[in-house]
Amino acid sequence: MAATQVIRSEWTKIRSVASTVWTLSLAVVVTLALSMLISALSANEFDKLNAQDRSDFDPTFISFAGMTLGQLAMIVFGVLVVSNEYSSGMIRTSLAAVPQRGTFLFSKVAVATGLALVVGMATSFAAFFLGQAMLGEHRAQLGDTGVLRAVVGGGLYMTLIAMFSMGVAAMLRSPMLGLGILMPFFFLISNILGNVDATRKVGRFLPDQAGSRIMQVVTPVGDDTPYGPWGGLGIMALWVIAALGGGYALLKRRDA
Amino acid sequence: MRSSVACMIELEGLTKRYGGKLAVDNLTFTVRPGVVTGFLGPNGAGKSTTMRMMLGLDRPTAGDVRIDGRHYDRLTDPLKYIGALLDAKAVHGGRSAHNHLLCLAQSNGIPARRVHEVLDAVGLTAVARKKAKGFSYGMGQRLGIAAALLGDPQILMFDEPVNGLDPEGIHWIRHLMKSLAAQGRTVFVSSHLMSEMALTADHLVVIGQGRLLADTSMAGFIAQNSRSYVRIRTPQRERLLDVLHEAGITAVESGSGVLEIDGGKPERIGELAAQHHIVLHELSPQQASLEEAFMQLTAESVEYHAHTDTPARPWGADWQKGD
């Protein structure tokens, strides 16, 4: 069983269902629209900020504000790519055609990851340039220190979020269960853990909080985060490896 | 070239246990090429579980299945060895029939033109670009069969293929299975209907509660199991029984004054009755149907009895007595 055959097959699968198009376009549209809106509002508010807030002002990070919502569409993309196989019963047909379950899962993840990377990277660059246009005189330049790293990092962040969702979906199988756990987790629980003093130290090791560190260019005064931008992305990558490893282990063992 | 021995399915002590329940219990048999092998058993007998294990989808608790002498997951491009229709609904509804078959073809290195060939073979060319969720059950069944034929395999496996098909579809699939076997392929088809198997299968494997009950040729099964008997009704029952007893013929009472004589000749019994001036109201040769033979064979192993022997009591009859 040549892996290239399976990758071609998975590419046919992913491009022939409507959910791929609508989840990814939603991720782009929501991220860009919200990033532009928040960048425009921040530019207007800048004059009212005190000296402390002005020194913490991070125009690059602000232009990625839309990702908090846009990532939810990436999560839906990642979950559906995997769990569609189960909800439709297609998994039995797929595994009869490709009984090497590791080849099957990792070809699927590779194709979906490639697509998420292209869309995520394009979205990140677009969000940056559109956001900076809204910020006017407070804008950052791509050549400024740390800015290119943050913009590339934004694309990687979107990709890793999709990969993490694929791993979780491979473990849970049901799309409703997958979305029912991941959506509130990233939209609510992670935020709550990160904003309550007692849990902040735990919260910042969650995949989204650790990973989004790479999009920051200006480190706020008094920040005691124990990892840097790449360290944070590394923590997120570990979550991804754990989720995909768990998904693979269960797929390998379970009856289809 | 593959030899004919190579396209066999061999099961050896195949066992599957779910929790404390044995779904498949120590099955050993071989499915051979050139004939249609019927896999018969009542609902819940373990047919689908057995077929899923043959395809490596479910892991056996014990025992082994070999296709072409190898485990399923050791086959390179398995669709070229064995094509299976397990569940017509195992398709992503949002994908077109063409793309569904194309992704399967690509995964096994099958050329894309085969997709058009099999769509044509099952009569779905006109709806090839339509989404599968709009398909009727029969069309879904045809799409599943197209997928099974995709790799031009030597072994084909169909799980209850006639279920939900219209008469034209049923006729088509019977003809398809026979012609595939006539080409020297191995055809393994499951059903819970003996009458269906009698029309298509050359060989029979019967299971009940996961256990092998019979592995025999269709002709052998018919010869063995189609009981013929003579049915008699008479107002002089006792007298006839005495006469028959003297003649060395055993009669069995089967309720409401009817006597049955296994393998008896109606001529001989009629003559005996006439000699002794016994009035007969009925004297008829009977043949038990294959369906009855199958039911008898699996009687002890049927999991879900309808309990027709116990008269239904009105609902709540017990507690309404109020004691």
Side-chain angles (χ1 to χ4, degrees), chain B residues 49-97:
Chain B
T49 307
T50 304
M51 288 177 136
R52 284 201 305 274
M53 284 193 283
M54 287 175 166
L55 295 174
L57 295 174
D58 285 14
R59 312 247 175 245
T61 311
D64 221 8
V65 192
R66 285 169 190 275
I67 313 257
D68 250 13
R70 278 177 288 173
H71 283 130
Y72 191 86
D73 59 7
R74 291 269 166 262
L75 299 172
T76 338
D77 300 336
L79 299 184
K80 293 176 183 171
Y81 292 84
I82 176 166
L85 166 77
L86 283 196
D87 177 3
K89 292 193 190 73
V91 170
H92 188 296
R95 201 170 278 135
S96 71

Coordinates of all heavy atoms in Angstrom, one line a residue, chain B residues 49-97:
Chain B
T49 N -20.9 -9.9 11.7 CA -19.7 -9.9 12.5 C -18.6 -10.7 11.8 O -17.5 -10.3 11.7 CB -20.0 -10.4 13.9 OG1 -21.1 -9.7 14.4 CG2 -18.8 -10.2 14.8
T50 N -19.0 -11.9 11.3 CA -18.0 -12.8 10.6 C -17.5 -12.1 9.4 O -16.3 -12.1 9.2 CB -18.7 -14.1 10.2 OG1 -19.3 -14.7 11.4 CG2 -17.8 -15.0 9.6
M51 N -18.4 -11.4 8.6 CA -17.9 -10.8 7.4 C -17.0 -9.6 7.7 O -16.0 -9.3 7.0 CB -19.1 -10.3 6.6 CG -19.8 -11.5 5.9 SD -21.3 -11.0 5.0 CE -21.1 -11.9 3.5
R52 N -17.3 -8.8 8.8 CA -16.4 -7.7 9.2 C -15.0 -8.2 9.6 O -14.0 -7.6 9.3 CB -17.1 -6.9 10.3 CG -18.2 -6.0 9.9 CD -18.4 -4.9 10.8 NE -18.7 -5.4 12.2 CZ -19.9 -5.7 12.6 NH1 -20.9 -5.6 11.8 NH2 -20.1 -6.2 13.8
M53 N -15.0 -9.4 10.3 CA -13.7 -10.0 10.6 C -12.9 -10.4 9.4 O -11.7 -10.3 9.3 CB -13.9 -11.1 11.6 CG -14.2 -10.6 13.0 SD -14.1 -11.9 14.3 CE -15.6 -12.9 14.0
M54 N -13.7 -10.9 8.4 CA -13.0 -11.3 7.1 C -12.3 -10.1 6.5 O -11.2 -10.3 5.9 CB -14.0 -11.9 6.2 CG -14.6 -13.2 6.5 SD -15.9 -13.7 5.4 CE -16.0 -15.4 5.7
L55 N -12.9 -8.9 6.7 CA -12.3 -7.7 6.1 C -11.3 -7.0 7.0 O -11.0 -5.8 6.7 CB -13.4 -6.8 5.6 CG -14.3 -7.3 4.5 CD1 -15.5 -6.3 4.3 CD2 -13.6 -7.5 3.2
G56 N -11.0 -7.6 8.1 CA -10.1 -6.9 9.1 C -10.7 -5.7 9.8 O -10.0 -4.9 10.3
L57 N -12.0 -5.6 9.7 CA -12.6 -4.4 10.4 C -12.8 -4.7 11.9 O -12.6 -3.8 12.7 CB -14.0 -4.1 9.7 CG -14.0 -3.6 8.3 CD1 -15.4 -3.5 7.7 CD2 -13.2 -2.3 8.2
D58 N -13.2 -5.9 12.2 CA -13.3 -6.3 13.6 C -12.2 -7.3 13.9 O -11.9 -8.1 13.1 CB -14.7 -6.9 13.9 CG -15.8 -5.9 14.0 OD1 -15.6 -4.8 13.5 OD2 -16.9 -6.3 14.5
R59 N -11.6 -7.1 15.1 CA -10.5 -8.1 15.5 C -11.1 -9.3 16.1 O -11.9 -9.2 17.0 CB -9.6 -7.4 16.5 CG -9.2 -6.0 16.1 CD -7.7 -6.0 15.8 NE -7.3 -4.6 15.4 CZ -6.9 -4.4 14.1 NH1 -6.7 -5.4 13.3 NH2 -6.6 -3.2 13.8
P60 N -10.7 -10.5 15.6 CA -11.2 -11.7 16.2 C -10.7 -11.9 17.7 O -9.6 -11.5 17.9 CB -10.6 -12.8 15.3 CG -10.1 -12.2 14.1 CD -9.8 -10.8 14.5
T61 N -11.5 -12.4 18.5 CA -11.1 -12.7 19.9 C -10.1 -13.9 19.8 O -9.1 -14.0 20.6 CB -12.3 -13.1 20.8 OG1 -13.3 -12.1 20.6 CG2 -11.9 -13.1 22.2
A62 N -10.4 -14.8 18.9 CA -9.5 -16.0 18.7 C -9.7 -16.5 17.3 O -10.7 -16.1 16.6 CB -9.9 -17.1 19.7
G63 N -8.8 -17.2 16.8 CA -8.9 -17.8 15.5 C -8.4 -16.9 14.4 O -7.8 -15.8 14.7
D64 N -8.7 -17.2 13.2 CA -8.0 -16.7 12.0 C -8.8 -16.6 10.8 O -9.6 -17.6 10.6 CB -6.8 -17.6 11.8 CG -5.5 -16.8 11.5 OD1 -5.6 -15.6 11.6 OD2 -4.5 -17.5 11.1
V65 N -8.7 -15.6 10.0 CA -9.3 -15.6 8.6 C -8.1 -15.3 7.7 O -7.4 -14.4 7.9 CB -10.3 -14.5 8.4 CG1 -11.1 -14.7 7.1 CG2 -11.2 -14.3 9.5
R66 N -8.1 -16.1 6.6 CA -7.1 -15.8 5.6 C -7.7 -15.7 4.2 O -8.6 -16.5 3.8 CB -6.0 -17.0 5.6 CG -5.0 -16.8 6.7 CD -4.2 -18.1 6.9 NE -3.5 -18.0 8.1 CZ -2.3 -17.3 8.3 NH1 -1.7 -16.7 7.3 NH2 -1.7 -17.3 9.5
I67 N -7.2 -14.7 3.5 CA -7.7 -14.5 2.1 C -6.5 -14.7 1.3 O -5.5 -14.1 1.5 CB -8.1 -13.0 1.9 CG1 -9.0 -12.6 3.1 CG2 -8.7 -12.8 0.5 CD1 -10.4 -12.4 2.9
D68 N -6.6 -15.6 0.3 CA -5.4 -15.9 -0.5 C -4.3 -16.4 0.3 O -3.1 -16.1 0.0 CB -5.0 -14.6 -1.2 CG -5.3 -14.6 -2.7 OD1 -6.0 -15.5 -3.1 OD2 -4.7 -13.8 -3.4
G69 N -4.6 -17.0 1.4 CA -3.5 -17.5 2.3 C -2.9 -16.4 3.2 O -2.0 -16.7 4.0
R70 N -3.4 -15.2 3.1 CA -2.8 -14.1 3.9 C -3.9 -13.4 4.7 O -5.1 -13.4 4.4 CB -2.2 -13.1 3.0 CG -0.8 -13.5 2.5 CD -0.2 -12.5 1.6 NE -0.9 -12.6 0.3 CZ -0.7 -11.7 -0.7 NH1 0.1 -10.7 -0.6 NH2 -1.3 -11.8 -1.9
H71 N -3.4 -12.7 5.8 CA -4.3 -11.9 6.6 C -4.7 -10.7 5.7 O -4.0 -10.2 4.9 CB -3.6 -11.4 7.8 CG -3.6 -12.4 8.9 ND1 -2.4 -12.8 9.6 CD2 -4.5 -13.3 9.4 CE1 -2.7 -13.7 10.4 NE2 -3.9 -14.1 10.3
Y72 N -6.0 -10.2 5.9 CA -6.5 -9.1 5.1 C -5.5 -7.9 5.1 O -5.3 -7.3 4.1 CB -7.8 -8.6 5.7 CG -8.6 -7.7 4.7 CD1 -9.3 -8.2 3.7 CD2 -8.4 -6.3 4.8 CE1 -10.0 -7.4 2.8 CE2 -9.1 -5.5 4.0 CZ -9.8 -6.0 2.9 OH -10.4 -5.1 2.1
D73 N -5.0 -7.5 6.3 CA -4.2 -6.3 6.3 C -2.8 -6.5 5.7 O -1.9 -5.6 5.7 CB -4.1 -5.7 7.7 CG -3.6 -6.6 8.8 OD1 -3.1 -7.7 8.4 OD2 -3.6 -6.3 10.0
R74 N -2.5 -7.7 5.3 CA -1.2 -8.0 4.6 C -1.4 -7.9 3.1 O -0.4 -8.1 2.3 CB -0.7 -9.4 5.0 CG -0.2 -9.5 6.4 CD 1.3 -9.1 6.5 NE 1.6 -8.9 7.9 CZ 1.7 -7.7 8.5 NH1 1.5 -6.6 7.8 NH2 2.0 -7.6 9.7
L75 N -2.6 -7.7 2.6 CA -2.8 -7.6 1.2 C -2.4 -6.2 0.6 O -2.7 -5.2 1.2 CB -4.3 -7.8 0.8 CG -5.0 -9.2 1.3 CD1 -6.5 -9.1 1.1 CD2 -4.4 -10.3 0.5
T76 N -1.7 -6.2 -0.5 CA -1.4 -5.0 -1.1 C -2.6 -4.6 -2.0 O -3.0 -5.5 -2.8 CB -0.1 -5.1 -2.0 OG1 0.6 -6.2 -1.6 CG2 0.7 -3.8 -2.0
D77 N -3.1 -3.4 -1.9 CA -4.3 -3.1 -2.7 C -5.4 -4.1 -2.5 O -5.7 -4.8 -3.5 CB -3.9 -2.9 -4.1 CG -2.9 -1.8 -4.3 OD1 -2.8 -0.9 -3.4 OD2 -2.2 -1.8 -5.3
P78 N -6.0 -4.2 -1.4 CA -7.0 -5.3 -1.1 C -8.2 -5.3 -2.0 O -8.7 -6.4 -2.3 CB -7.4 -5.1 0.4 CG -7.0 -3.7 0.7 CD -5.8 -3.4 -0.2
L79 N -8.6 -4.1 -2.5 CA -9.7 -4.1 -3.4 C -9.5 -4.9 -4.7 O -10.5 -5.3 -5.4 CB -10.1 -2.7 -3.8 CG -10.5 -1.8 -2.6 CD1 -11.0 -0.4 -3.1 CD2 -11.6 -2.4 -1.7
K80 N -8.3 -5.2 -5.0 CA -8.0 -6.0 -6.2 C -8.1 -7.5 -5.9 O -8.1 -8.3 -6.8 CB -6.6 -5.7 -6.7 CG -6.4 -4.3 -7.3 CD -5.0 -4.0 -7.7 CE -4.8 -2.6 -8.2 NZ -3.4 -2.3 -8.4
Y81 N -8.2 -7.9 -4.6 CA -8.4 -9.3 -4.2 C -9.8 -9.6 -3.9 O -10.3 -10.6 -4.2 CB -7.5 -9.6 -3.0 CG -6.0 -9.6 -3.3 CD1 -5.3 -8.4 -3.2 CD2 -5.3 -10.8 -3.6 CE1 -3.9 -8.4 -3.5 CE2 -4.0 -10.8 -3.9 CZ -3.3 -9.6 -3.8 OH -2.0 -9.6 -4.1
I82 N -10.4 -8.7 -3.1 CA -11.7 -9.0 -2.5 C -12.5 -7.7 -2.5 O -12.1 -6.6 -2.1 CB -11.6 -9.6 -1.1 CG1 -13.0 -9.8 -0.5 CG2 -10.7 -8.8 -0.2 CD1 -12.9 -10.7 0.7
G83 N -13.7 -7.8 -3.1 CA -14.7 -6.6 -3.1 C -15.8 -7.0 -2.2 O -16.3 -8.1 -2.2
A84 N -16.3 -6.0 -1.4 CA -17.3 -6.4 -0.4 C -18.4 -5.3 -0.4 O -18.1 -4.1 -0.5 CB -16.7 -6.5 0.9
L85 N -19.6 -5.8 -0.3 CA -20.8 -4.9 0.0 C -21.2 -5.3 1.4 O -21.8 -6.3 1.6 CB -21.9 -5.1 -1.0 CG -23.3 -4.5 -0.6 CD1 -23.3 -3.0 -0.8 CD2 -24.4 -5.2 -1.4
L86 N -20.9 -4.4 2.3 CA -21.3 -4.7 3.7 C -22.6 -4.0 4.0 O -23.6 -4.5 4.5 CB -20.2 -4.4 4.7 CG -19.1 -5.3 4.8 CD1 -18.3 -5.1 6.1 CD2 -19.5 -6.8 4.8
D87 N -22.6 -2.7 3.8 CA -23.6 -1.8 4.3 C -23.8 -0.7 3.2 O -22.9 0.0 3.0 CB -23.3 -1.2 5.6 CG -24.3 -0.2 6.1 OD1 -25.4 -0.1 5.4 OD2 -24.1 0.3 7.2
A88 N -24.9 -0.7 2.5 CA -25.1 0.2 1.4 C -25.0 1.7 1.9 O -24.8 2.6 1.1 CB -26.5 0.0 0.8
K89 N -25.2 1.9 3.2 CA -25.2 3.3 3.7 C -23.8 3.7 4.1 O -23.6 4.8 4.6 CB -26.1 3.4 4.9 CG -27.6 3.3 4.5 CD -28.5 3.7 5.6 CE -29.9 3.3 5.3 NZ -30.2 1.9 5.5
A90 N -22.8 2.9 3.9 CA -21.4 3.2 4.3 C -20.8 4.2 3.3 O -19.7 3.9 2.7 CB -20.6 2.0 4.5
V91 N -21.5 5.3 3.0 CA -21.0 6.2 2.0 C -21.3 7.6 2.6 O -22.2 7.8 3.3 CB -21.9 6.1 0.8 CG1 -21.7 7.2 -0.2 CG2 -21.7 4.7 0.1
H92 N -20.4 8.6 2.3 CA -20.6 10.0 2.8 C -21.6 10.6 1.8 O -21.4 10.7 0.6 CB -19.3 10.7 2.7 CG -19.4 12.1 3.2 ND1 -20.2 13.1 2.7 CD2 -18.8 12.7 4.3 CE1 -20.1 14.2 3.4 NE2 -19.2 14.0 4.4
G93 N -22.8 11.0 2.4 CA -23.9 11.4 1.6 C -23.6 12.7 0.8 O -24.3 12.9 -0.2
G94 N -22.7 13.5 1.2 CA -22.4 14.7 0.5 C -21.5 14.5 -0.7 O -21.2 15.5 -1.4
R95 N -21.0 13.3 -0.9 CA -20.1 13.1 -2.0 C -20.8 12.4 -3.2 O -21.7 11.6 -3.0 CB -19.0 12.1 -1.5 CG -17.7 12.2 -2.3 CD -16.6 11.4 -1.5 NE -16.0 12.2 -0.5 CZ -15.7 11.7 0.7 NH1 -16.0 10.5 1.1 NH2 -15.1 12.5 1.6
S96 N -20.4 12.8 -4.4 CA -21.1 12.2 -5.5 C -20.7 10.7 -5.7 O -19.6 10.3 -5.2 CB -20.7 13.0 -6.8 OG -19.4 12.7 -7.2
A97 N -21.5 10.0 -6.4 CA -21.2 8.6 -6.6 C -19.8 8.4 -7.3 O -19.0 7.6 -6.9 CB -22.3 8.0 -7.5

